[in-house]
Amino acid sequence: MTSATENKNSGATAAEARAVAEAARETEWTRPSFAKGLYLGNFDLGLIHPWPQARDADVERGEAFMAKLREFCTTMSGRVIEREARIPDEYLASLAELGVFGMKIPREYGGLGLSLVYYGRALALLGSVHPSLGALISAHQSIGVPEPVKVFGTPEQKQEYLPRCARGAITAFLLTEPDVGSDPARMGCTATPSDDGESYLLDGVKLWTTNGVIAELVVVMAVVPAHANPDGTQEKGGITAFVVEMDSPGITVENRNAFMGLRGIENGVTRFHQVRVPAANRLGREGQGLKIALTTLNTGRLSIPGLCVAAGKWSLKIAREWSNARTQWGRPVGKHEAVAKKIAFIAATTFALEAVFELSAEMADAGQKDVRIEAALAKLWSTELSCLVADELVQIRGGRGFETAESLEARGERAVAAEQLLRDLRINRIFEGSSEIMRLLIAREAVDAHLAAAGELASVDATLQEKARAAVGASGFYAKWLPKLVAGAGLDPRSYSEFGRLAKQLRYVERASRKLARQTFYGMGRWQGKLEYKQAFLGRIVDIGAELFAMAACCSRAEMLLRTAPEQGAAAYELAEAYCEQARLRVDDYFEKLWRNTDDADRELSANVLAGDYAWLEAGVLDQSEGTGPWIADASPGASSKESVHRKYR
Ligand SMILES: Cc1cc2nc3c(=O)[nH]c(=O)nc-3n(C[C@H](O)[C@H](O)[C@H](O)COP(=O)(O)OP(=O)(O)OC[C@H]3O[C@@H](n4cnc5c(N)ncnc54)[C@H](O)[C@@H]3O)c2cc1C
């Protein structure tokens, strides 16, 4: 088993990796957080109900832009992008003209200043033309240059970059390296300060740089070594963020990467060899890079849930139309119960996908609540659920679900790209924080109150004495806290009566929230500091909270729709109730599996697999991996012998 001090071969120990992640964590909670409360048994419905009200000016501006964007989107063809594996330059030029590259940039810098809600809706619309468009705009605006500059840039940096970005300078965010994926502690890219302190020399290789092939500007994360300032003072250095001009000498884009989906993205391998970057291009302080990246992602993470809403809506439409049109065994396939259940799942989940995205984005826009956990939950849950939706759609379409749109059309049928949806959605569970990493990140916040209370009790490295001392303090905390988890509004049949038939769903959420906190406490008690290694247990804790959040979002949204759009209100109640009933079965199952599971046995079995004990089971098939290259290409810095594939789109 990996211990806290193993894994030295790769340059950083597990403890160092944790320390880097921990140092970058935002620890302050100055505003209330609905989702954090859910994990602590404190279901505070008032934080999400009534549904947050958008500002009139935001709605007016957003609707006017959406109308223009919708019109333009009908002139683009997702089929062309898929066929050519590239977004035509004229699409990009027109999108720039429409202001799409500056949707989230404040108007004072030439952007459209859209709210997060409208930004997400615009992404959904663009993504429904082709998901590569959504990926391009999201990589540029949610994590590329505009967002970190807006939040961390100096006034000069804002003046310099934001208007350029708004006009259409495409940007990218470069964190990942061949040897550095989820764990940035081992970052190999370096930024060495010059003696006069005027510039840095950038060296290293960045992998999977979305937009990197056509970007004009990029944000690069690199390690600044500890050094002395020109005035003799010492700097610790650390991971630091820089804005880099892509036409700087020494940059090569070595490859345009191709993937299972998102065929139109301009994703590359970007090599930096002695690239001179002015110190004025540094974002924030030295050592602040990871914090900048993580803070950027706090709300940046809402882009992908926005794109998942589009996937749900399209799946629902195709499922409805096809299940009515296709008749087998004497009835439309939608009338066979096995298919009907899939349609019900797609419909209920689509309602929930929209509720979760819109609620999180509205709360982020309103600014009074802390939505860090909501955004992370939205990213994790939306990407997982939308993949299930797409998979069910493929199944409902039968053989046609597996056939490409091109082929369907060639033989005279409607060109429905269900298989493409499945391929395009898959990456959402991997990038901008893989599902496994999102669960760890959310679990870290979810048990934060426990850790804060228990102190050294929860630290693996604490001495026995420290743990014993902490346990005494912690028992005082738990003595006060645990009784609060025994009873609550969920036990009173009159609670939440203003929600009508959804009241019982909210009572369930309240009861389940307290149960969730109790179970987390039992996990703490049982494993103490080792809890962080119980990823399966923590994963279920996180997933329960995600479902409870989605259920609450559905109820709040249905109530809002009943008030504001009565013609949809009754149907919204049906969909919200359906989602809650389906989610409850999953939640009950997660609770059950917290303590009845095969986790220990699976860990052991997996260790045996890794040790090669069952290699005999692999016999009888060909090893189809082509070539004889290493698992991971040598990423040592240095000049590239390859021709750069970097190109200008305009
Ligand atoms: C199409 C595409 C676009 C991308 N765009 C960008 C971009 O624009 N900028 C950028 O910087 N990066 C980008 N990436 C990189 C992406 O963010 C990474 O792939 C992702 O962070 C995961 O890193 P990895 O692939 O190295 O997986 P690894 O970190 O090697 O992980 C492998 C597996 O192990 C799991 N795992 C790792 N650590 C743990 C742990 N501690 N506990 C539990 N499970 C763990 C992971 O979840 C995963 O399942 C892109 C990738 C792709 C494929």
Side-chain angles (χ1 to χ4, degrees), residues 72 86 96 118 166 329 348-349 354 390 421 477 586 616:
F72 176 68
R86 179 182 162 159
Y118 279 98
W329 303 81
T349 306
E354 187 159 53
L421 181 75
F477 166 80
R586 293 193 288 267
W616 52 267

Side-chain angles (χ1 to χ4, degrees), residues 459-479:
S459 162
V460 181
D461 304 323
T463 63
L464 260 184
Q465 205 183 15
E466 285 165 335
K467 281 186 183 175
R469 199 172 46 236
V472 174
S475 62
F477 166 80
Y478 288 121

Side-chain angles (χ1 to χ4, degrees), residues 515-534:
K515 183 171 174 184
L516 182 61
R518 288 197 304 268
Q519 302 292 320
T520 310
F521 167 69
Y522 299 148
M524 277 281 297
R526 177 154 170 195
W527 292 299
Q528 300 190 10
K530 298 235 160 46
L531 180 64
E532 76 170 288
Y533 300 116
K534 296 288 171 192

